[in-house]
Amino acid sequence: MKQSLHEAALAALMCADPAAKCTATACLAADWESGALICLPGGDDPAPVLEPGRPARPELIPPQQLPQRKVGSREGHAALLHAIAHIEFNAINLALDCVHRFRSMPAGFHADWVRVAAEEAYHFGLVKERLEALGHVYGDFPAHDGLWVMACRTAHDLLARMALVPRVLEARGLDATPPIMEKLRTIGDRASVGVLEIILRDEIGHVAIGDRWFRLLCAARGLEPERTYLQLIEDFEAPRPHPPLHREARLAAGFSEAELYALVRK
């Protein structure tokens, strides 16, 4: 008898060890592609997972308490890569949670988020290697839990999840990545710049997946997507992006010119 895709995603989601989580996620994707896992759309959505599997470290603290370090120092360099690794680790959990949590969605939805989870696990491994090259491991620096907090806040409504996680929080990464790459270039870390080029390329696709499902859900509910998006940002007090926006990346991910104007308008 074939195993449930959703239960396999839950098992990977609850892995606390990062290496085990990445392995389980890669196996999930391979098993899905081979047909070893079954997806039965139309089932009831289970209760949300409020605490995913994650290691005891890093210490999670409020964003405003994170120390500011200059990338020109060795510690600041490592802390920057650690922050990126933490985002990628959380992104694995976010994608796995979509597969586990929203079982009533069609198989195409789950196929999309299985792919995203596998790519995020790959990204985490790439950044982890760069961090280790500087003599550090994931967990050495404190981090914040903003991505997962928003996942919990939107667990009751997939439309809000697609709007506020991929199209708000993850889309902010599209804007932030080019300046980070430039900082790394100035200190000669070309290897990490190469890693971020891969991540940026793939993240455009991840935001585009969120955009597509957000718009489909809006259509199913008779909602105008761009007005709904701005209203959800207000309702959830989600952070607006800090200019300059990566216009080309956001347009490729599904944003319109009108949306980009509305996002930065005071």
Side-chain angles (χ1 to χ4, degrees), residues 4-5 33 70 89 94 102 131 141 144 171 178 201 213 236:
S4 162
L5 169 68
E33 286 296 321
K70 294 185 177 180
F89 183 80
L94 291 166
F102 299 106
L131 185 61
F141 297 90
H144 71 82
R201 177 200 69 199
W213 287 104
F236 282 80

Side-chain angles (χ1 to χ4, degrees), residues 109-131:
F109 173 86
H110 300 296
D112 279 346
W113 292 104
V114 167
R115 189 192 106 199
V116 171
E119 290 180 353
E120 301 291 16
Y122 172 60
H123 297 167
F124 176 79
L126 293 176
V127 182
K128 175 175 165 289
E129 288 180 5
R130 295 302 307 139
L131 185 61

Side-chain angles (χ1 to χ4, degrees), residues 9 130 141 156 181 223-224:
R130 295 302 307 139
F141 297 90
H156 66 287
M181 291 167 67
L223 299 172
E224 198 287 315

Side-chain angles (χ1 to χ4, degrees), residues 116-197:
V116 171
E119 290 180 353
E120 301 291 16
Y122 172 60
H123 297 167
F124 176 79
L126 293 176
V127 182
K128 175 175 165 289
E129 288 180 5
R130 295 302 307 139
L131 185 61
E132 290 171 351
L134 297 178
H136 287 274
V137 297
Y138 178 58
D140 279 357
F141 297 90
H144 71 82
D145 203 25
L147 277 170
W148 188 257
V149 168
M150 186 60 79
C152 291
R153 291 181 64 200
T154 57
H156 66 287
D157 185 358
L158 180 58
L159 187 147
R161 168 72 66 86
M162 293 294 102
L164 299 174
V165 176
R167 291 188 101 247
V168 171
L169 298 182
E170 294 186 90
R172 293 175 81 195
L174 303 182
D175 307 324
T177 299
I180 292 172
M181 291 167 67
E182 188 55 36
K183 288 181 180 179
L184 293 170
R185 284 191 191 97
T186 64
I187 61 172
D189 187 357
R190 294 186 179 182
S192 293
V193 171
V195 167
L196 289 183
E197 287 174 345

Side-chain angles (χ1 to χ4, degrees), residues 185-245:
R185 284 191 191 97
T186 64
I187 61 172
D189 187 357
R190 294 186 179 182
S192 293
V193 171
V195 167
L196 289 183
E197 287 174 345
I198 294 169
I199 291 175
L200 178 59
R201 177 200 69 199
D202 291 346
E203 291 299 337
I204 292 171
H206 299 174
V207 176
I209 286 171
D211 175 80
R212 182 163 66 87
W213 287 104
F214 170 70
R215 292 180 186 277
L216 286 170
L217 288 162
C218 283
R221 299 184 194 185
L223 299 172
E224 198 287 315
E226 295 182 10
R227 284 198 302 270
T228 301
Y229 179 59
L230 293 174
Q231 188 60 54
L232 286 166
I233 290 175
E234 294 298 322
D235 292 346
F236 282 80
E237 299 180 343
R240 284 178 175 259
H242 299 296
L245 304 186

Side-chain angles (χ1 to χ4, degrees), residues 2-38:
K2 291 184 178 181
Q3 184 185 5
S4 162
L5 169 68
H6 311 296
E7 294 306 320
L10 176 61
L13 176 64
M14 299 312 294
C15 283
D17 178 72
K21 186 184 295 287
C22 288
T23 298
T25 301
C27 289
L28 173 77
D31 288 345
W32 172 248
E33 286 296 321
S34 72
L37 298 173
I38 190 168

